[in-house]
Amino acid sequence: RDRAQQTANPVDPWEDFNREVFAFNQVIDTYALKPVAQGYDFITPEPVQTGVGNFFSNLGEIRTALNSVLQWKWVNAGIASSRFLLNTTLGVGGLLDPATELGWIAREEDFGQTLAVWGVDAGPYVVLPLLGGRTLRHAGALPADAYADPVTYVEDGTTRWGLRALGLIDYRASVLDQEELIRGDRYIFLRDAYLQRRRFLINDGETGADPFASGEFDFDFDDGDFAE
């Protein structure tokens, strides 16, 4: 497609601006975040990485539980709450994941998904500095999700920002291998992958008409292809 056709995409009317922010983010990732994540992945034993991932995933159960209540999904709220209690206690603060071993699986929920259930339109795709691509609805929900994150309430600033950095580095390390999936225009690939991932989450795993389809790619990702 030529550039005029790219910018005509109604899902991404701000593509020119988004690409500039995307390029900035790629520089930060290439020269800072990715090398640190590669070093972390190289020196950190797999069980430790699994424990760190479990820890942050466990904290996310609070967000899932709260947003499940707001969406009137009481069963999912109960499962997420039970997962948090079990993994925090028997799972040694969330480092272990006995809840999954018992088959207690909750669907991830955030405030962006809650707004979708409430009927708020997704709005245009926008790339945020450092934070990456989001729909406008998802971007607007980020402050509410921050309030549901226990790390926000850690009083010591050094500890709080240290936890933020560790979570970011651990996530970046977890998706290093997935870069091999990227084909063609990196911006378009990641945009469409994100939009399909969000549709999957909002629809609770149900497929159906894809309002985000750009016509260039026909992805068939499932829930495990991209970490959240």
Side-chain angles (χ1 to χ4, degrees), residues 75-111:
V75 172
N76 202 60
I79 295 174
S81 300
S82 299
R83 283 181 55 84
F84 178 76
L85 292 173
L86 182 63
N87 287 345
T88 301
T89 54
L90 297 184
V92 195
L95 296 176
L96 304 177
D97 187 9
T100 295
E101 294 179 10
L102 292 174
W104 299 0
I105 307 297
R107 294 185 303 273
E108 297 177 15
E109 301 288 349
D110 57 42
F111 194 61

Side-chain angles (χ1 to χ4, degrees), residues 59-81:
L59 295 183
E61 300 293 352
I62 297 176
R63 179 192 65 193
T64 288
L66 291 173
N67 281 285
S68 294
V69 169
L70 292 175
Q71 297 173 41
W72 224 249
K73 298 176 180 178
W74 296 103
V75 172
N76 202 60
I79 295 174
S81 300

Side-chain angles (χ1 to χ4, degrees), residues 27-38 130 165 168-169 172-173:
V27 170
I28 299 298
D29 181 71
T30 299
Y31 294 103
L33 183 56
K34 184 177 179 179
V36 171
Q38 289 173 322
L130 304 180
L168 177 61
I169 293 169
R172 185 64 182 87

